[in-house]
Amino acid sequence: MQKNIHPTYAPVVFRDTSTGHMFLSRSTRIPAATVEFEGTTYPVIDVEISSDSHPFWTGKARTLDTEGRVERFRRRYAASTARPSGTTPGGAE
């Protein structure tokens, strides 16, 4: 393996800005800001969303009202697809 071509891979703390939750991992990105975590000082990377605040992982995900949307679609387009009584699709009788 060639020497001096790989980036530094070191421990880094990731901090969720919305909840304040922090976790230790490793990264090649080494920021200048630091934070005290479990008695040791580490570089810190602030993230907007983590598993601590993401709706999928917290169970606070929104459920779409698909039934209401389908009914609204049918009401809106029912008039344009209505046929006069006694006729069949394609004009055959």
Side-chain angles (χ1 to χ4, degrees), residues 1-7 9:
M1 189 156 70
Q2 293 181 4
K3 297 196 183 298
N4 301 324
I5 64 167
H6 299 287
Y9 187 62

Side-chain angles (χ1 to χ4, degrees), residues 47-85:
V47 293
E48 293 180 16
I49 296 176
S50 71
S51 61
D52 195 53
S53 63
H54 194 280
F56 180 81
W57 299 110
T58 60
K60 298 178 183 175
R62 295 185 323 177
T63 304
L64 294 177
D65 179 21
T66 55
E67 184 176 341
R69 290 181 181 199
V70 170
E71 293 303 319
R72 187 171 48 220
F73 175 83
R74 287 182 179 157
R75 280 194 312 266
R76 183 179 295 159
Y77 294 104
S80 64
T81 59
R83 294 185 196 92
S85 62

Side-chain angles (χ1 to χ4, degrees), residues 6-27:
H6 299 287
T8 304
Y9 187 62
V12 175
V13 170
F14 288 88
R15 178 174 49 198
D16 188 330
T17 56
S18 61
T19 64
H21 177 73
M22 296 188 292
F23 59 94
L24 181 64
S25 186
R26 296 178 64 88
S27 177

